[in-house]
Amino acid sequence: MTGSLTRVPCTIVTGFLGAGKTALIRHVLGNADGRRLAVIVNEFGDVGIDGDILKGCGNAACPEDNIVELANGCLCCTVADEFVPALDAILAKGDIEHIVIETSGLALPKPLVQAFHWPAIKNRVTVDSVVVVVDGAALADGRVAHDLDALKQQRTADTALDHDDPIEEVFEDQIACADLVVLNKRDLLDAAGLDKALAAIAGALPRKIKVVKVSGGKVDTALLLGLGVGTEDDIANRRTHHDNELDHDHDDFDSFVVPLGEIADPSNLAARVAALAEKFDVLRVKGFAAVAGKPLRLLVQAVGSRVTHQYDRAWAASEPRESRLVVIGLKGLDRAAVTRALAG
């Protein structure tokens, strides 16, 4: 795929609570085959995956500070607020070869995959594949998840979740986006149970997809990493129950750079950035500013009206002292008006 060699591949791992996503990712971290990995973990409360479990692996391929835990709700519904800043932080490290993204149990993969088209990130990352982990034992018993009550509690606890679908529809939407299905808990199935689980998966699959049968999440890393699918280029063809809902059309965004000269007061700039979310359809602002009389570069980041700014390092002698902010917002954003507002 054109340009993919310069982009960091990302494997998206999704599946219901209890299917075995944590076990699978722990296995990947322990069998990275020399790759330098990073992990974004999206779960919340006490009922799901705890980032500390993964941080406790103690694996040199993925040290603790390469694991970012997002606990503020379903990632598919908070892409701009959660995913992009986490991705920025990981890519800033500069030595990451592969990123594993674990979604919450109720996440819809499609909006997250669509986010890889955003101008701010599309040239830096690509979707290596979407991997869906399913609970083979639950499917054999006629359920899509082992503990439906826990899923209900998870849904109630997540105030950011903006889709309230039958669990079966969420299962179908996850499967619809899959490049690989991992049927976990094979050791709990007899021949009849395995046939029933495979039939349930086949009934949800819209096209021919490889199904790997494992126990304890132990999938050969060669089957998971480095597939090079580029799922974002095909995601429009993967039909889901939410294709006609505007709430999940997360790829309708635009971004542009606003150049500014040296600024006098970081607090005044932060106030102008914060005001953008109230006046315009601006979702995120990030960049650097040169402050008059200061040898250090000012890092500015904003999600909505929440703005942080701090000096991150000295300006290099070869660098022009200039301020440049990237603005990300909905299509149709009035660039001229936003530029004037930032310039004050």
Side-chain angles (χ1 to χ4, degrees), residues 4-342:
S4 63
L5 293 178
T6 62
R7 293 183 287 171
V8 177
C10 301
T11 297
I12 297 175
V13 180
T14 191
F16 285 141
L17 176 69
K21 300 189 297 294
T22 304
L24 181 143
I25 295 174
R26 281 180 63 92
H27 182 72
V28 169
L29 295 184
N31 298 272
D33 296 330
R35 292 182 177 88
R36 293 186 298 277
L37 304 179
V39 180
I40 298 176
V41 183
N42 175 219
E43 201 55 271
F44 49 86
D46 299 323
V47 296
I49 291 176
D50 188 341
D52 288 340
I53 296 175
L54 297 176
K55 291 177 181 178
C57 291
N59 193 282
C62 187
E64 270 194 32
D65 60 357
N66 283 12
I67 298 175
V68 179
E69 186 175 13
L70 306 178
N72 294 323
C74 175
L75 191 56
C76 76
C77 305
T78 57
V79 174
D81 290 350
E82 300 291 339
F83 173 60
V84 177
L87 195 60
D88 286 342
I90 287 174
L91 293 176
K93 296 178 182 295
D95 64 345
I96 302 301
E97 295 179 291
H98 202 108
I99 301 172
V100 179
I101 302 168
E102 182 273 324
T103 72
S104 74
L106 293 171
L108 305 174
K110 190 167 186 175
L112 180 57
V113 175
Q114 288 173 320
F116 281 73
H117 285 300
W118 289 13
I121 64 174
K122 68 178 182 180
N123 293 323
R124 298 190 291 160
V125 290
T126 181
V127 182
D128 189 60
S129 65
V130 174
V131 177
V132 179
V133 184
V134 301
D135 186 331
L139 291 177
D141 289 337
R143 305 188 305 273
V144 294
H146 173 69
D147 193 338
L148 297 178
D149 288 338
L151 279 180
K152 183 178 180 180
Q153 293 172 12
Q154 184 181 37
R155 171 174 283 167
T156 302
D158 186 0
T159 57
L161 195 68
D162 67 5
H163 58 88
D164 184 17
D165 317 284
I167 294 299
E168 290 74 18
E169 286 191 6
V170 178
F171 175 77
E172 291 169 1
D173 279 8
Q174 291 178 349
I175 293 290
C177 294
D179 296 300
L180 175 71
V181 175
V182 175
L183 188 156
N184 198 24
K185 306 183 183 180
R186 169 67 181 87
D187 54 319
L188 302 181
L189 300 175
D190 57 18
L194 178 61
D195 288 344
K196 188 171 181 180
L198 290 173
I201 295 170
L205 283 175
R207 63 199 188 288
K208 187 174 179 57
I209 295 295
K210 184 174 181 61
V211 179
V212 180
K213 301 175 284 294
V214 304
S215 301
K218 295 180 179 179
V219 183
D220 186 340
T221 308
L223 295 177
L224 288 176
L225 305 183
L227 301 188
V229 176
T231 310
E232 68 271 26
D233 294 331
D234 183 57
I235 194 63
N237 298 320
R238 304 188 184 188
R239 307 303 298 170
T240 72
H241 292 283
H242 292 82
D243 286 346
N244 297 321
E245 295 182 12
L246 294 178
D247 284 346
H248 277 85
D249 191 13
H250 290 306
D251 60 339
D252 193 23
F253 295 89
D254 197 4
S255 70
F256 57 95
V257 176
V258 176
L260 301 170
E262 284 195 347
I263 66 169
D265 186 351
S267 296
N268 285 343
L269 176 62
R272 293 197 296 272
V273 171
L276 293 180
E278 299 178 5
K279 298 179 181 178
F280 308 99
D281 291 326
V282 172
L283 300 172
R284 178 153 163 72
V285 179
K286 59 181 179 178
F288 304 97
V291 181
K294 295 287 186 180
L296 301 179
R297 187 178 70 171
L298 185 73
L299 170 63
V300 180
Q301 298 198 74
V303 176
S305 60
R306 302 192 303 275
V307 184
T308 60
H309 58 89
Q310 63 190 55
Y311 294 105
D312 68 333
R313 64 168 175 80
W315 288 98
S318 59
E319 287 181 296
R321 284 178 56 89
E322 60 183 7
S323 305
R324 294 173 63 83
L325 298 179
V326 177
V327 178
I328 302 172
L330 299 179
K331 288 286 187 182
L333 195 62
D334 189 334
R335 297 189 179 196
V338 170
T339 300
R340 289 194 299 270
L342 283 175

